[in-house]
Amino acid sequence: MKKFLNSVDTVLTESLDGFVAAHADILALGDEHKFVRRRTLKPGKVALISGGGSGHEPLHGGLVGHGMLDAACPGQVFTSPTPDQMLAAAEAVNTGAGCLFIVKNYEGDVMNFEMAAEMSEGVMQVVTNDDVAVENSSYTTGRRGVAGTLVVEKILGAAAEQDMALKPLKALGERVNGATRSMGVALTSCTVPAAGKPTFDIGDGEMEFGVGIHGEPGRRRDALKSADAIAEEICAAISGDLGDRAKGPALLFVNGFGGTPLMELYLMYNSARKIFEKNGVTVTRSLVGSYVTSLDMAGCSITLTMLDDETIALWDAPVHTAAMRWGM
């Protein structure tokens, strides 16, 4: 294993220290590294809080700032944050309008965020489950929450910035999640620092189709295919799951898992866009880059979110975070 480390035990805290120092104009670090929050809060706005295991950067800490999250709770690598982290974050960023937790559908995340919500007042939750690859996996009961979580966070962040109340925000989040589907493919494994070796073995001529963002098994192990063939199968799975809704304006998001060059991600975007548009989707908004990663895994995911006038406007609304910035 070759990684930039001082100690496996301190990799998360040292990374958080560097991250917040690099973006000190917009971020502050909570006590004991329990959370990252917006440096300047907007009074009277519903606070959006998310989080999960580290190793998926820039999700979620990189999405804290104007127009997105108010706080993010980082767990250890691929390990859920604890309820006391969510409670501390909620206390720090709740300015009186309540909090909305945005939770990826992994058993540890769901359980710990639910515990924190039960111990708080004025807290609601949205659970994301956009992955169409498998119904259940080693980390979940039900579908996994993956790259589509970013789309939910952006649209809800804009709506909260415009002073939408807690209950309508929850309803909007569930609607956006319901209009979002994703699937990924891995070309290599990732290496968790504490393990010191790849999570799974995969041959040079193989790919893991439908992989999860922790390196969980997908639909199947298969021979490596062309980019067009990979995109064709992923897009067919997404469109098939959306059914008749897979028509009209949409956001196409091609996400890298951490070890894939942008050149390849744009190539995959080109393939996916042609396939979707041939089948009645109008790609009106796009995002390409490594936003929901799996440490150093090579691979990508494709996410499609069906849009309407409201969600297009909210996607376009100003955002200023470490990882996403436009309109300001």
Side-chain angles (χ1 to χ4, degrees), residues 250-253 269 273 283-288 315 326:
L251 163 70
L252 175 57
F253 171 25
Y269 170 87
R273 181 171 184 143
V283 177
T284 58
R285 297 296 183 271
S286 304
L287 185 67
V288 179
W315 179 262
W326 61 70

Side-chain angles (χ1 to χ4, degrees), residues 26 44 48 54 77 117 125 132 170 179 186 224 233 239 243 271 278 291:
I26 59 172
L48 302 185
S54 296
V77 174
Q125 297 186 77
V132 302
K170 174 180 169 63
L224 183 61
E233 187 165 351
S239 296
S271 295
K278 182 177 65 177
Y291 291 96

Side-chain angles (χ1 to χ4, degrees), residues 164-238:
M164 183 178 284
L166 183 57
K167 287 185 179 180
L169 274 173
K170 174 180 169 63
L172 176 62
E174 291 171 345
R175 180 160 67 87
V176 174
N177 176 67
T180 302
R181 299 292 188 276
S182 302
M183 184 183 284
V185 60
L187 307 183
T188 70
S189 177
C190 56
T191 299
V192 176
K197 61 181 180 180
T199 301
F200 59 89
D201 296 320
I202 186 167
D204 289 342
E206 294 181 317
M207 62 180 182
E208 185 73 26
F209 194 80
V211 71
I213 58 173
H214 305 97
E216 314 100 292
R219 286 189 170 187
R220 67 181 187 278
R221 182 71 54 87
D222 203 349
L224 183 61
K225 299 178 180 179
S226 69
D228 282 345
I230 294 169
E232 186 73 52
E233 187 165 351
I234 292 176
C235 293
I238 289 171

